[in-house]
Amino acid sequence: MVQLVQLVQLVQLVGQAATPLAQSTQSTHTAQDQTGLLDPFDAGFRAAQCEAVVSEIAASIPNVHLRLTEHAASKIEAFERNLGRNGSGPNHTVSALRMAAGHFFMERRLGTQLFLAVDLQAEEDAPADASTDTRTSQVAIAVETPGSIWQAYILFRIHTFVAPLGAALERHFPRLLGAALYADCSFLVSEYWEQGSLQDALRAYQQQHLPIDEVLVLYYAAELLTAVALLHRAGIIHAGIALDRLLLYTRPGPGDSAAWAPVYRRDGSAGWGARGLVLAGYGRAIDLKLLREEDHSRFAVAPAHRALTGCPLVHAGQPVAHELDWWAVAECLHLLLFQEPLVPCRADGLFVLPAPLRRSWQLHIWQPLFRDLLNAHQLAPDARLPAFRAHLEAIWLCLETWRRAPSLKSLLTRQEIMLYECMSRSASPSPSASK
């Protein structure tokens, strides 16, 4: 009876006016435009998706807690008051956060409503000989007000699909460590990636007035194409891919430096599976499996929400779906190659790059890849994933046969050192911040 009451309260919390998605075509006031297509960025659409999975959230996802009659906003205010200008919290008592998903010490702010924390229970459970334990007690805690449990559900969906495919693929997505939904806010606990994001890497190169070597961009293109293809195979559209949501993964094991092969290996063997990209940030994600079959292929984004994406189809008022992600991949790769935003241009009825690719680059890879990324709407739905798989195979072959200097391994090592130095400087308190 208690669980039933909680489920009813959660439905009310995520949206009292929400209707099941199977019936949502009867309403045109929120989630739909005049053509009857759903708007994936509409609050009513998200509320309806939450309502459709509420029972699964409550019963199936480990360490996800519903505390719908309790309030926790005061907990956030308490540790935020203790954060200095540099975002650090020196007082363990004031900066401690005890919630249903665990007990944490809030170390510092990582971003808007995102914090680095220490899992105090994990520290207590750690073995006496820390050198034998590869786990880390550092976690990232995302705070949302008003609360939402949607990202916890999406991460659960992703890992349920990807886990049987092996750790080499599962590493592209953050692990859900816990979540708690209160009446006024929510907390999402996930893995913390101390190396930062591709946005941090781009900023570090720009500060030193350096380009990013093409082979590095090819490497990140392979990582990104792999992650997005897995999402789409699972029936999920990310709808918010950006450089700051592409986290750098470096988690070497004992003796990894000696075992790390100098030549790239697509299967992740010989140390190559200990590094790469993690695709995070699922607040806007769409679960296609919650929709009727006819709604899977097309969405209409209302004018008020079009600024959330750079896809020109959206700004032209045309229906979209998976194109949201493929266009975002093109934006990310363009930023890494040119260090400039992608401005849509048209030629002969196709979207094209605003500037030509360099002759010294791997044109046989980049030209067809950008053609399909920018014009994914012209690919048949059943031909889209095979087309990008072919691009991925071409990139893998290029990386495996790359013999130019500097090598990909040396560039990744150099970048790790550069990022560590940049992030150490930014994390150090300035004289004004310590006052």
Side-chain angles (χ1 to χ4, degrees):
M1 183 64 185
V2 173
Q3 188 177 27
L4 178 61
V5 172
Q6 286 187 327
L7 297 185
V8 172
Q9 290 173 331
L10 180 55
V11 171
Q12 294 173 341
L13 184 64
V14 297
Q16 293 181 348
T19 58
L21 292 186
Q23 304 172 7
S24 61
T25 54
Q26 298 175 5
S27 172
T28 59
H29 297 296
T30 55
Q32 296 176 295
D33 69 352
Q34 295 178 351
T35 66
L37 296 177
L38 296 166
D39 180 356
F41 299 118
D42 186 88
F45 174 83
R46 177 65 65 245
Q49 287 218 313
C50 283
E51 181 180 353
V53 300
V54 60
S55 58
E56 184 173 0
I57 291 174
S60 303
I61 307 181
N63 202 26
V64 172
H65 305 270
L66 307 181
R67 297 290 187 268
L68 305 177
T69 60
E70 304 173 21
H71 293 74
S74 59
K75 298 176 183 286
I76 306 173
E77 297 168 358
F79 66 74
E80 280 199 327
R81 281 196 301 268
N82 195 52
L83 293 176
R85 293 182 183 179
N86 67 331
S88 299
N91 187 303
H92 282 62
T93 302
V94 179
S95 294
L97 171 65
R98 187 180 295 276
M99 59 173 173
H103 186 200
F104 306 91
F105 164 62
M106 310 301 286
E107 282 196 349
R108 60 185 173 89
R109 186 190 303 276
L110 297 173
T112 304
Q113 293 189 307
L114 182 64
F115 301 88
L116 170 63
V118 174
D119 186 339
L120 299 179
Q121 184 61 46
E123 283 204 332
E124 293 174 4
D125 296 340
D129 183 6
S131 63
T132 64
D133 186 29
T134 59
R135 297 174 302 172
T136 175
S137 59
Q138 286 189 316
V139 298
I141 297 182
V143 180
E144 288 191 62
T145 50
S148 172
I149 210 71
W150 182 247
Q151 290 198 66
Y153 165 76
I154 290 293
L155 289 176
F156 175 73
R157 272 272 288 112
I158 291 171
H159 285 281
T160 300
F161 176 83
V162 178
L165 304 179
L169 297 177
E170 197 175 13
R171 67 178 177 83
H172 290 294
F173 307 98
R175 281 192 306 124
L176 173 67
L177 302 179
L181 177 64
Y182 293 89
D184 53 355
C185 66
S186 63
F187 300 91
L188 179 77
V189 186
S190 62
E191 291 174 295
Y192 168 62
W193 307 105
E194 64 273 11
Q195 290 79 22
S197 67
L198 269 185
Q199 182 65 54
D200 297 318
L202 176 61
R203 188 180 300 113
Y205 283 101
Q206 290 175 329
Q207 289 174 352
Q208 300 190 29
H209 306 286
L210 294 173
I212 302 178
D213 288 76
E214 184 197 11
V215 67
L216 265 181
V217 185
L218 283 167
Y219 170 70
Y220 289 131
E223 292 284 294
L224 186 49
L225 288 174
T226 299
V228 174
L230 284 169
L231 274 187
H232 290 184
R233 284 174 56 191
I236 295 172
I237 299 174
H238 188 285
I241 296 173
L243 288 184
D244 61 353
R245 292 172 181 175
L246 295 171
L247 308 181
L248 297 171
Y249 174 95
T250 305
R251 193 63 62 80
D256 177 75
S257 58
W260 188 14
V263 179
Y264 175 80
R265 299 190 185 181
R266 70 177 73 182
D267 62 358
S269 62
W272 285 96
R275 47 195 45 82
L277 286 182
V278 176
L279 179 54
Y282 293 91
R284 302 178 194 162
I286 306 164
D287 186 358
L288 297 177
K289 293 191 178 300
L290 299 179
L291 303 175
R292 301 173 309 179
E293 191 67 32
E294 59 266 31
D295 293 328
H296 280 203
S297 59
R298 299 288 92 183
F299 298 97
V301 180
H305 304 140
R306 290 175 185 172
L308 297 174
T309 174
C311 180
L313 297 175
V314 170
H315 292 273
Q318 299 181 31
V320 293
H322 298 85
E323 296 91 345
L324 291 169
D325 285 350
W326 296 123
W327 184 272
V329 171
E331 289 180 316
C332 292
L333 297 179
H334 188 274
L335 271 170
L336 296 177
L337 283 171
F338 295 94
Q339 298 193 11
E340 293 180 356
L342 173 60
V343 178
C345 295
R346 270 190 178 273
D348 299 324
L350 296 175
F351 290 109
V352 297
L353 294 176
L357 297 161
R358 295 180 185 175
R359 293 182 180 179
S360 60
W361 286 347
Q362 307 299 304
L363 299 182
H364 68 287
I365 292 177
W366 293 121
Q367 287 177 340
L369 175 59
F370 274 113
R371 179 200 63 218
D372 286 347
L373 287 173
L374 299 178
N375 300 278
H377 59 290
Q378 296 194 356
L379 297 173
D382 58 351
R384 200 172 290 136
L385 282 177
F388 288 112
R389 174 70 185 192
H391 294 308
L392 183 57
E393 293 277 356
I395 297 173
W396 278 339
L397 180 61
C398 181
L399 292 174
E400 289 170 340
T401 57
W402 189 272
R403 295 296 183 267
R404 299 182 190 178
S407 68
L408 175 58
K409 178 180 177 180
S410 65
L411 289 170
L412 285 169
T413 303
R414 185 188 308 171
Q415 178 179 277
E416 288 174 13
I417 296 172
M418 180 174 65
L419 271 173
Y420 175 79
E421 293 174 346
C422 289
M423 296 181 74
S424 296
R425 287 195 297 268
S426 63
S428 300
S430 64
S432 60
S434 59
K435 291 180 181 179

